[in-house]
Amino acid sequence: MASKAVEKRRQAAPAKVDPRDEPSAEWGWHGGFPKGGRIAGWVTVVVLLAMIYNNHENNTENVWLVGIAIAIVIGLLWEIKKKRTAWRR
């Protein structure tokens, strides 16, 4: 019975990534920047909130800046929650 399992493993060769579909596979890197994305998100929130202290004539700009910052924070917090509960699946 073990020999059948060994034969199956030999037949199932790992699929190679086609460099035409994934150009980064040519030079050996294939992945993402999860930590860099989170850092960039928090930096973006800080920059958006820092833009409030500018010379605005009305508060329409402030509403948009705060609204977009809140949307980014919600997305970042959702991603943190998703990462923490990923082991449960």
Side-chain angles (χ1 to χ4, degrees):
M1 196 152 42
S3 63
K4 288 183 182 179
V6 171
E7 289 297 323
K8 274 188 175 181
R9 282 189 213 128
R10 286 183 187 158
Q11 290 173 357
K16 291 189 175 182
V17 178
D18 188 9
R20 290 176 291 177
D21 295 334
E22 307 278 344
S24 61
E26 256 180 32
W27 43 276
W29 180 81
H30 187 70
F33 296 107
K35 220 181 246 189
R38 275 183 246 124
I39 292 169
W42 288 113
V43 168
T44 302
V45 168
V46 170
V47 169
L48 285 172
L49 294 176
M51 285 183 182
I52 292 175
Y53 301 107
N54 207 346
N55 54 352
H56 300 301
E57 292 186 18
N58 57 19
N59 284 330
T60 305
E61 297 92 349
N62 295 344
V63 171
W64 278 98
L65 290 171
V66 172
I68 293 171
I70 289 172
I72 294 172
V73 167
I74 289 171
L76 289 168
L77 293 176
W78 185 13
E79 194 266 336
I80 289 171
K81 180 183 175 279
K82 193 170 97 174
K83 181 182 174 194
R84 286 188 182 171
T85 59
W87 63 272
R88 294 182 189 167
R89 286 185 241 161

Coordinates of all heavy atoms in Angstrom, one line a residue:
M1 N 0.8 -1.2 0.0 CA 0.0 0.0 0.0 C 0.9 1.3 0.0 O 0.5 2.2 -0.6 CB -0.9 0.0 1.2 CG -2.0 1.0 1.0 SD -3.6 0.8 1.8 CE -3.5 0.3 3.4
A2 N 2.0 1.2 0.7 CA 2.9 2.4 0.7 C 3.5 2.6 -0.7 O 3.8 3.8 -1.0 CB 4.0 2.2 1.7
S3 N 3.6 1.6 -1.5 CA 4.2 1.8 -2.8 C 3.3 2.6 -3.7 O 3.8 3.4 -4.5 CB 4.6 0.4 -3.4 OG 3.4 -0.3 -3.6
K4 N 2.0 2.5 -3.5 CA 1.1 3.2 -4.4 C 1.2 4.7 -4.0 O 1.2 5.6 -4.9 CB -0.3 2.8 -4.2 CG -0.6 1.4 -4.8 CD -2.1 1.1 -4.6 CE -2.4 -0.3 -5.2 NZ -3.7 -0.7 -5.1
A5 N 1.4 5.0 -2.7 CA 1.5 6.4 -2.3 C 2.8 7.0 -2.8 O 2.8 8.2 -3.3 CB 1.5 6.5 -0.8
V6 N 3.8 6.2 -2.8 CA 5.1 6.7 -3.3 C 5.0 7.0 -4.8 O 5.5 8.0 -5.3 CB 6.3 5.7 -3.0 CG1 7.5 6.0 -3.7 CG2 6.5 5.6 -1.5
E7 N 4.3 6.1 -5.5 CA 4.2 6.3 -7.0 C 3.4 7.5 -7.3 O 3.7 8.3 -8.2 CB 3.5 5.0 -7.6 CG 4.3 3.8 -7.6 CD 5.5 4.0 -8.5 OE1 5.4 4.6 -9.6 OE2 6.6 3.5 -8.2
K8 N 2.3 7.8 -6.5 CA 1.5 9.0 -6.7 C 2.4 10.2 -6.5 O 2.3 11.2 -7.2 CB 0.4 9.0 -5.7 CG -0.9 8.3 -6.2 CD -2.0 8.6 -5.2 CE -3.3 8.0 -5.7 NZ -4.4 8.2 -4.8
R9 N 3.2 10.2 -5.5 CA 4.1 11.4 -5.2 C 5.1 11.6 -6.4 O 5.4 12.7 -6.7 CB 4.9 11.2 -3.9 CG 4.0 11.5 -2.7 CD 4.9 11.5 -1.5 NE 4.1 11.0 -0.4 CZ 4.5 10.1 0.5 NH1 5.6 9.5 0.3 NH2 3.7 9.7 1.4
R10 N 5.6 10.6 -6.9 CA 6.5 10.7 -8.0 C 5.8 11.2 -9.3 O 6.4 12.0 -10.0 CB 7.1 9.3 -8.4 CG 8.1 8.9 -7.4 CD 8.8 7.6 -7.8 NE 9.7 7.1 -6.7 CZ 10.0 5.9 -6.5 NH1 9.6 5.0 -7.4 NH2 10.8 5.5 -5.5
Q11 N 4.6 10.8 -9.5 CA 3.8 11.3 -10.7 C 3.4 12.8 -10.6 O 3.4 13.5 -11.5 CB 2.6 10.4 -10.9 CG 2.9 9.0 -11.4 CD 1.7 8.2 -11.4 OE1 0.6 8.6 -11.1 NE2 1.8 6.9 -11.9
A12 N 3.1 13.2 -9.3 CA 2.6 14.6 -9.1 C 3.8 15.5 -9.0 O 4.3 15.8 -7.9 CB 1.7 14.6 -7.9
A13 N 4.4 15.9 -10.1 CA 5.5 16.9 -10.0 C 5.0 18.3 -9.7 O 3.9 18.7 -10.1 CB 6.2 16.9 -11.4
P14 N 5.8 19.0 -8.9 CA 5.4 20.4 -8.6 C 5.2 21.2 -9.9 O 6.0 21.2 -10.8 CB 6.5 20.9 -7.7 CG 7.6 20.0 -7.9 CD 7.1 18.7 -8.4
A15 N 4.1 22.0 -9.9 CA 3.9 22.9 -11.0 C 4.9 24.0 -11.1 O 5.1 24.7 -10.0 CB 2.5 23.4 -11.0
K16 N 5.5 24.3 -12.2 CA 6.4 25.4 -12.3 C 5.6 26.6 -12.8 O 4.6 26.5 -13.5 CB 7.5 25.1 -13.3 CG 8.4 24.0 -12.9 CD 9.6 23.9 -13.8 CE 10.6 22.9 -13.2 NZ 11.7 22.8 -14.0
V17 N 6.1 27.8 -12.3 CA 5.4 29.1 -12.7 C 6.0 29.5 -14.0 O 7.2 29.5 -14.2 CB 5.7 30.1 -11.6 CG1 5.1 31.4 -12.0 CG2 5.2 29.7 -10.3
D18 N 5.1 29.9 -14.9 CA 5.5 30.3 -16.3 C 6.0 31.8 -16.2 O 5.2 32.6 -15.7 CB 4.4 30.2 -17.2 CG 4.8 30.5 -18.7 OD1 6.0 30.6 -18.9 OD2 3.9 30.6 -19.5
P19 N 7.2 32.1 -16.5 CA 7.7 33.5 -16.4 C 6.9 34.5 -17.3 O 7.0 35.6 -17.0 CB 9.2 33.4 -16.9 CG 9.5 31.9 -16.8 CD 8.3 31.2 -16.9
R20 N 6.2 34.0 -18.3 CA 5.4 34.9 -19.0 C 4.2 35.4 -18.2 O 3.7 36.5 -18.4 CB 4.9 34.3 -20.3 CG 6.1 34.1 -21.3 CD 5.7 33.4 -22.5 NE 5.3 32.0 -22.1 CZ 4.9 31.1 -22.9 NH1 4.6 31.3 -24.2 NH2 4.6 29.8 -22.5
D21 N 3.7 34.5 -17.4 CA 2.6 34.9 -16.5 C 3.0 35.7 -15.3 O 2.3 36.6 -14.8 CB 1.8 33.7 -16.1 CG 1.1 32.9 -17.2 OD1 0.8 33.6 -18.2 OD2 0.9 31.7 -17.1
E22 N 4.1 35.3 -14.7 CA 4.7 35.9 -13.5 C 6.1 36.3 -13.8 O 7.1 35.5 -13.6 CB 4.7 34.9 -12.4 CG 3.4 34.2 -12.1 CD 2.4 35.1 -11.3 OE1 3.0 36.0 -10.7 OE2 1.3 34.8 -11.3
P23 N 6.3 37.6 -14.3 CA 7.7 38.0 -14.6 C 8.7 37.9 -13.5 O 9.9 37.7 -13.7 CB 7.5 39.4 -15.1 CG 6.1 39.6 -15.3 CD 5.4 38.6 -14.5
S24 N 8.2 38.1 -12.2 CA 9.1 38.0 -11.1 C 9.7 36.6 -10.9 O 10.7 36.4 -10.2 CB 8.4 38.5 -9.8 OG 7.3 37.6 -9.5
A25 N 9.1 35.6 -11.4 CA 9.6 34.2 -11.2 C 10.9 34.0 -12.0 O 11.7 33.1 -11.6 CB 8.5 33.2 -11.8
E26 N 11.2 34.8 -12.9 CA 12.5 34.7 -13.7 C 13.7 35.0 -12.8 O 14.6 34.3 -12.9 CB 12.5 35.8 -14.8 CG 12.2 35.2 -16.2 CD 12.3 36.3 -17.2 OE1 13.0 37.3 -17.0 OE2 11.5 36.2 -18.2
W27 N 13.6 35.9 -11.9 CA 14.7 36.2 -11.0 C 14.5 35.7 -9.6 O 15.3 36.1 -8.7 CB 15.0 37.7 -11.0 CG 13.9 38.7 -10.9 CD1 13.1 39.1 -11.9 CD2 13.4 39.3 -9.8 NE1 12.2 40.0 -11.5 CE2 12.3 40.1 -10.1 CE3 13.8 39.2 -8.4 CZ2 11.6 40.9 -9.2 CZ3 13.1 40.0 -7.5 CH2 12.0 40.8 -7.9
G28 N 13.6 34.8 -9.4 CA 13.5 34.1 -8.2 C 12.7 34.6 -7.0 O 12.6 34.0 -6.0
W29 N 12.0 35.7 -7.2 CA 11.2 36.2 -6.1 C 9.7 36.1 -6.6 O 9.4 36.5 -7.7 CB 11.5 37.7 -5.8 CG 10.7 38.2 -4.7 CD1 10.9 38.0 -3.4 CD2 9.5 39.0 -4.9 NE1 9.9 38.7 -2.7 CE2 9.1 39.3 -3.6 CE3 8.8 39.5 -6.0 CZ2 7.9 40.1 -3.4 CZ3 7.7 40.3 -5.7 CH2 7.3 40.6 -4.5
H30 N 8.9 35.7 -5.6 CA 7.5 35.6 -5.9 C 6.7 35.7 -4.6 O 6.7 34.7 -3.8 CB 7.2 34.2 -6.6 CG 5.8 34.1 -7.1 ND1 5.3 34.8 -8.1 CD2 4.7 33.4 -6.6 CE1 4.0 34.5 -8.3 NE2 3.7 33.6 -7.4
G31 N 6.2 36.8 -4.3 CA 5.5 37.0 -3.0 C 5.0 38.4 -2.9 O 4.9 39.2 -3.8
G32 N 4.8 38.8 -1.6 CA 4.3 40.2 -1.4 C 5.0 40.8 -0.2 O 6.0 40.3 0.3
F33 N 4.5 42.0 0.2 CA 5.1 42.7 1.3 C 4.1 43.0 2.3 O 3.5 44.1 2.5 CB 5.6 44.1 0.8 CG 6.8 44.0 -0.2 CD1 6.5 44.3 -1.5 CD2 8.0 43.6 0.2 CE1 7.6 44.2 -2.4 CE2 9.1 43.5 -0.7 CZ 8.8 43.8 -2.0
P34 N 3.7 42.0 3.1 CA 2.6 42.2 4.1 C 3.0 43.2 5.2 O 2.1 44.0 5.5 CB 2.4 40.8 4.7 CG 3.6 40.0 4.4 CD 4.2 40.6 3.1
K35 N 4.2 43.1 5.7 CA 4.6 44.1 6.7 C 4.7 45.5 6.1 O 4.3 46.5 6.8 CB 5.9 43.6 7.3 CG 6.0 43.8 8.8 CD 7.4 43.4 9.3 CE 7.3 42.2 10.2 NZ 8.5 41.8 10.8
G36 N 5.3 45.6 4.9 CA 5.4 46.9 4.3 C 4.1 47.5 4.0 O 3.9 48.7 4.1
G37 N 3.1 46.7 3.6 CA 1.8 47.2 3.3 C 1.1 47.8 4.6 O 0.5 48.9 4.5
R38 N 1.3 47.1 5.7 CA 0.7 47.6 7.0 C 1.4 48.9 7.4 O 0.7 49.8 7.8 CB 0.9 46.5 8.0 CG -0.2 45.5 8.0 CD -0.1 44.5 9.2 NE 0.2 43.3 8.5 CZ 1.2 42.5 8.7 NH1 2.1 42.8 9.6 NH2 1.3 41.3 8.0
I39 N 2.7 48.9 7.3 CA 3.4 50.2 7.7 C 3.0 51.3 6.8 O 2.8 52.4 7.2 CB 5.0 49.9 7.6 CG1 5.4 48.9 8.7 CG2 5.7 51.2 7.7 CD1 6.8 48.4 8.6
A40 N 2.9 51.1 5.5 CA 2.5 52.1 4.5 C 1.1 52.6 4.8 O 0.8 53.8 4.7 CB 2.6 51.6 3.1
G41 N 0.2 51.7 5.2 CA -1.1 52.1 5.6 C -1.2 53.0 6.8 O -1.9 54.0 6.8
W42 N -0.4 52.7 7.8 CA -0.4 53.5 9.0 C 0.2 54.9 8.8 O -0.2 55.9 9.3 CB 0.2 52.8 10.2 CG -0.6 51.7 10.7 CD1 -0.3 50.4 10.7 CD2 -1.9 51.8 11.4 NE1 -1.3 49.6 11.3 CE2 -2.3 50.5 11.7 CE3 -2.7 52.9 11.8 CZ2 -3.5 50.2 12.4 CZ3 -3.9 52.6 12.4 CH2 -4.3 51.3 12.7
V43 N 1.3 54.9 7.9 CA 1.9 56.1 7.6 C 0.9 57.0 6.8 O 0.9 58.2 7.0 CB 3.2 55.9 6.8 CG1 3.8 57.2 6.2 CG2 4.3 55.3 7.7
T44 N 0.2 56.4 5.9 CA -0.8 57.1 5.1 C -1.9 57.7 6.0 O -2.3 58.9 5.8 CB -1.5 56.2 4.1 OG1 -0.5 55.6 3.2 CG2 -2.5 56.9 3.2
V45 N -2.3 57.0 7.0 CA -3.3 57.6 8.0 C -2.7 58.8 8.7 O -3.4 59.8 8.8 CB -3.7 56.5 9.0 CG1 -4.5 57.1 10.1 CG2 -4.6 55.4 8.3
V46 N -1.5 58.7 9.1 CA -0.9 59.8 9.8 C -0.7 61.0 8.9 O -1.0 62.1 9.3 CB 0.5 59.4 10.4 CG1 1.3 60.6 10.9 CG2 0.3 58.3 11.5
V47 N -0.3 60.8 7.7 CA -0.2 61.9 6.7 C -1.5 62.5 6.4 O -1.6 63.8 6.4 CB 0.5 61.4 5.4 CG1 0.4 62.4 4.3 CG2 2.0 61.0 5.7
L48 N -2.6 61.7 6.2 CA -3.9 62.3 6.0 C -4.4 63.1 7.1 O -5.0 64.2 6.9 CB -4.9 61.2 5.7 CG -4.8 60.5 4.3 CD1 -5.7 59.3 4.3 CD2 -5.1 61.5 3.2
L49 N -4.2 62.6 8.3 CA -4.6 63.4 9.5 C -3.7 64.7 9.7 O -4.2 65.7 10.2 CB -4.6 62.5 10.7 CG -5.7 61.4 10.7 CD1 -5.5 60.5 11.9 CD2 -7.1 61.9 10.6
A50 N -2.5 64.6 9.3 CA -1.6 65.8 9.4 C -2.0 66.9 8.4 O -1.8 68.1 8.6 CB -0.2 65.4 9.2
M51 N -2.7 66.4 7.3 CA -3.1 67.4 6.3 C -4.3 68.3 6.8 O -4.6 69.3 6.1 CB -3.5 66.7 5.0 CG -2.4 66.1 4.2 SD -3.1 65.4 2.7 CE -1.7 64.8 1.9
I52 N -4.9 67.9 7.9 CA -6.0 68.7 8.4 C -5.5 70.1 8.8 O -6.2 71.1 8.6 CB -6.7 68.0 9.6 CG1 -7.4 66.8 9.1 CG2 -7.6 68.9 10.3 CD1 -8.0 65.9 10.2
Y53 N -4.3 70.2 9.3 CA -3.7 71.5 9.7 C -3.1 72.2 8.5 O -1.9 72.3 8.3 CB -2.6 71.2 10.8 CG -3.2 70.5 12.0 CD1 -2.9 69.2 12.2 CD2 -4.1 71.2 12.9 CE1 -3.5 68.5 13.3 CE2 -4.6 70.5 13.9 CZ -4.3 69.2 14.2 OH -4.9 68.6 15.2
N54 N -4.0 72.7 7.7 CA -3.6 73.5 6.5 C -4.5 74.7 6.4 O -5.4 74.9 7.2 CB -3.7 72.6 5.3 CG -2.8 73.0 4.2 OD1 -2.2 74.0 4.2 ND2 -2.6 72.1 3.3
N55 N -4.4 75.5 5.4 CA -5.2 76.6 5.2 C -6.4 76.3 4.4 O -6.5 76.5 3.2 CB -4.4 77.8 4.7 CG -3.7 77.4 3.4 OD1 -3.7 76.3 3.0 ND2 -3.2 78.5 2.7
H56 N -7.5 75.7 5.0 CA -8.7 75.4 4.3 C -9.7 76.5 4.5 O -9.8 77.2 5.5 CB -9.3 74.1 4.9 CG -8.4 72.9 4.8 ND1 -7.9 72.4 3.6 CD2 -8.0 72.1 5.7 CE1 -7.2 71.4 3.8 NE2 -7.2 71.1 5.1
E57 N -10.5 76.7 3.4 CA -11.6 77.8 3.5 C -12.8 77.2 4.2 O -13.6 77.9 4.8 CB -11.9 78.3 2.1 CG -10.7 79.1 1.6 CD -11.1 79.8 0.3 OE1 -12.3 79.9 0.0 OE2 -10.1 80.2 -0.4
N58 N -13.1 75.9 4.0 CA -14.2 75.3 4.7 C -13.8 73.9 5.1 O -12.7 73.5 4.9 CB -15.5 75.2 3.7 CG -15.2 74.5 2.4 OD1 -14.2 73.8 2.3 ND2 -16.0 74.8 1.4
N59 N -14.8 73.2 5.7 CA -14.4 71.9 6.3 C -14.7 70.7 5.4 O -14.6 69.6 5.8 CB -15.2 71.7 7.6 CG -14.6 72.5 8.7 OD1 -13.4 72.8 8.7 ND2 -15.4 72.9 9.7
T60 N -15.0 70.9 4.1 CA -15.3 69.8 3.2 C -14.0 69.0 3.0 O -14.1 67.7 3.0 CB -15.7 70.4 1.8 OG1 -16.8 71.2 2.0 CG2 -16.0 69.2 0.9
E61 N -12.8 69.6 2.9 CA -11.6 68.9 2.8 C -11.3 68.0 4.0 O -10.9 66.9 3.9 CB -10.4 69.8 2.6 CG -10.5 70.6 1.3 CD -11.2 72.0 1.5 OE1 -11.7 72.2 2.6 OE2 -11.1 72.8 0.6
N62 N -11.6 68.6 5.2 CA -11.4 67.9 6.5 C -12.3 66.6 6.5 O -11.8 65.6 7.0 CB -11.6 68.8 7.7 CG -10.6 69.9 7.7 OD1 -9.6 69.9 7.1 ND2 -11.0 70.9 8.5
V63 N -13.5 66.7 6.1 CA -14.4 65.6 6.1 C -13.8 64.5 5.2 O -13.8 63.3 5.6 CB -15.8 66.0 5.7 CG1 -16.7 64.8 5.5 CG2 -16.4 67.0 6.6
W64 N -13.4 64.8 4.1 CA -12.8 63.8 3.2 C -11.5 63.2 3.8 O -11.3 62.0 3.7 CB -12.5 64.4 1.8 CG -13.7 64.4 1.0 CD1 -14.6 65.5 0.7 CD2 -14.3 63.3 0.2 NE1 -15.6 65.1 -0.1 CE2 -15.5 63.8 -0.4 CE3 -13.9 62.0 0.0 CZ2 -16.2 63.0 -1.2 CZ3 -14.7 61.2 -0.8 CH2 -15.9 61.7 -1.4
L65 N -10.7 64.0 4.3 CA -9.4 63.5 4.9 C -9.7 62.6 6.0 O -9.1 61.5 6.1 CB -8.5 64.7 5.3 CG -7.9 65.5 4.3 CD1 -7.3 66.8 4.9 CD2 -6.9 64.8 3.5
V66 N -10.5 62.9 6.9 CA -10.9 62.1 8.1 C -11.6 60.8 7.6 O -11.3 59.7 8.1 CB -11.7 62.9 9.1 CG1 -12.2 62.0 10.2 CG2 -10.8 64.0 9.7
G67 N -12.5 61.0 6.7 CA -13.3 59.8 6.2 C -12.4 58.8 5.5 O -12.5 57.6 5.8
I68 N -11.5 59.2 4.7 CA -10.5 58.3 4.0 C -9.6 57.7 5.1 O -9.3 56.5 5.0 CB -9.7 59.0 2.9 CG1 -10.7 59.4 1.8 CG2 -8.6 58.1 2.4 CD1 -10.1 60.3 0.7
A69 N -9.1 58.5 6.0 CA -8.3 57.9 7.1 C -9.0 56.9 7.9 O -8.4 55.8 8.2 CB -7.8 59.0 8.0
I70 N -10.3 57.1 8.2 CA -11.1 56.1 9.0 C -11.2 54.8 8.1 O -11.1 53.7 8.7 CB -12.4 56.7 9.4 CG1 -12.2 57.7 10.5 CG2 -13.4 55.6 9.9 CD1 -13.4 58.5 10.9
A71 N -11.5 55.0 6.9 CA -11.7 53.8 6.0 C -10.4 53.0 6.0 O -10.4 51.7 6.0 CB -12.0 54.2 4.6
I72 N -9.2 53.6 5.9 CA -8.0 52.9 5.9 C -7.7 52.2 7.2 O -7.3 51.1 7.3 CB -6.8 53.8 5.5 CG1 -6.9 54.3 4.1 CG2 -5.4 53.2 5.7 CD1 -6.0 55.4 3.7
V73 N -8.0 52.9 8.3 CA -7.9 52.3 9.6 C -8.8 51.1 9.8 O -8.3 50.0 10.3 CB -8.1 53.3 10.8 CG1 -8.3 52.7 12.1 CG2 -7.0 54.4 10.8
I74 N -10.0 51.2 9.3 CA -10.9 50.0 9.4 C -10.3 48.8 8.6 O -10.3 47.7 9.1 CB -12.3 50.4 8.9 CG1 -13.0 51.3 9.9 CG2 -13.2 49.1 8.7 CD1 -14.3 51.9 9.5
G75 N -9.8 49.1 7.4 CA -9.2 48.1 6.6 C -8.0 47.4 7.3 O -7.8 46.2 7.3
L76 N -7.1 48.3 7.9 CA -6.0 47.8 8.6 C -6.3 46.9 9.8 O -5.7 45.9 10.1 CB -5.1 48.9 9.0 CG -4.3 49.6 7.9 CD1 -3.7 50.9 8.4 CD2 -3.3 48.7 7.3
L77 N -7.3 47.4 10.6 CA -7.8 46.6 11.8 C -8.4 45.3 11.3 O -8.2 44.3 12.0 CB -8.7 47.4 12.6 CG -8.1 48.7 13.3 CD1 -9.2 49.5 14.0 CD2 -7.0 48.3 14.2
W78 N -9.2 45.3 10.2 CA -9.8 44.1 9.7 C -8.7 43.1 9.3 O -8.8 41.9 9.6 CB -10.7 44.4 8.6 CG -11.5 43.2 8.1 CD1 -11.6 42.0 8.7 CD2 -12.2 43.1 6.9 NE1 -12.4 41.2 7.9 CE2 -12.8 41.8 6.8 CE3 -12.4 44.0 5.8 CZ2 -13.5 41.4 5.7 CZ3 -13.2 43.6 4.8 CH2 -13.8 42.3 4.7
E79 N -7.6 43.6 8.7 CA -6.5 42.7 8.3 C -5.8 42.1 9.5 O -5.4 41.0 9.5 CB -5.6 43.5 7.4 CG -4.6 42.7 6.6 CD -3.3 42.5 7.4 OE1 -2.9 43.4 8.2 OE2 -2.6 41.5 7.1
I80 N -5.7 42.9 10.6 CA -5.0 42.4 11.8 C -5.9 41.3 12.4 O -5.4 40.3 12.8 CB -4.8 43.6 12.8 CG1 -3.7 44.5 12.3 CG2 -4.4 43.0 14.2 CD1 -3.5 45.7 13.1
K81 N -7.2 41.5 12.5 CA -8.1 40.5 13.0 C -8.1 39.3 12.2 O -8.1 38.2 12.7 CB -9.5 41.1 13.1 CG -10.5 40.1 13.6 CD -11.9 40.7 13.6 CE -12.9 39.7 14.1 NZ -13.3 38.7 13.0
K82 N -8.1 39.4 10.8 CA -8.0 38.3 9.9 C -6.8 37.5 10.1 O -6.8 36.3 10.1 CB -8.2 38.8 8.5 CG -8.5 37.7 7.5 CD -8.8 38.3 6.2 CE -7.6 38.3 5.3 NZ -7.9 38.7 3.9
K83 N -5.6 38.2 10.3 CA -4.4 37.5 10.5 C -4.3 36.7 11.8 O -3.8 35.6 11.9 CB -3.2 38.5 10.5 CG -1.9 37.9 10.6 CD -0.8 38.9 10.6 CE 0.5 38.3 10.9 NZ 1.5 39.2 11.3
R84 N -4.9 37.3 12.9 CA -4.9 36.6 14.2 C -5.8 35.4 14.2 O -5.5 34.5 15.0 CB -5.4 37.6 15.3 CG -4.4 38.6 15.6 CD -4.8 39.4 16.8 NE -3.8 40.5 17.1 CZ -3.9 41.4 18.0 NH1 -5.1 41.5 18.7 NH2 -3.0 42.3 18.2
T85 N -6.9 35.4 13.5 CA -7.8 34.3 13.5 C -7.5 33.3 12.3 O -8.3 32.3 12.2 CB -9.2 34.7 13.4 OG1 -9.5 35.5 12.3 CG2 -9.6 35.6 14.7
A86 N -6.5 33.5 11.6 CA -6.2 32.6 10.4 C -5.9 31.2 10.8 O -6.1 30.2 10.1 CB -5.1 33.2 9.6
W87 N -5.3 31.0 12.0 CA -4.9 29.7 12.5 C -6.0 28.8 12.8 O -5.9 27.6 12.9 CB -3.9 29.8 13.6 CG -4.6 30.4 14.8 CD1 -4.6 31.8 15.1 CD2 -5.2 29.8 15.9 NE1 -5.3 32.0 16.3 CE2 -5.7 30.8 16.8 CE3 -5.5 28.5 16.2 CZ2 -6.4 30.5 18.0 CZ3 -6.2 28.2 17.4 CH2 -6.6 29.2 18.2
R88 N -7.2 29.4 13.0 CA -8.4 28.6 13.4 C -9.0 27.9 12.3 O -9.8 27.0 12.5 CB -9.4 29.5 14.0 CG -9.0 30.2 15.3 CD -10.1 31.0 15.9 NE -9.6 31.8 17.0 CZ -10.2 32.8 17.6 NH1 -11.4 33.2 17.1 NH2 -9.7 33.4 18.6
R89 N -8.7 28.2 11.0 CA -9.3 27.6 9.9 C -8.7 26.3 9.6 O -7.7 25.9 9.7 CB -9.3 28.5 8.7 CG -10.3 29.6 8.8 CD -10.3 30.4 7.6 NE -9.9 31.8 8.0 CZ -9.5 32.7 7.2 NH1 -9.3 32.4 6.0 NH2 -9.2 33.9 7.7

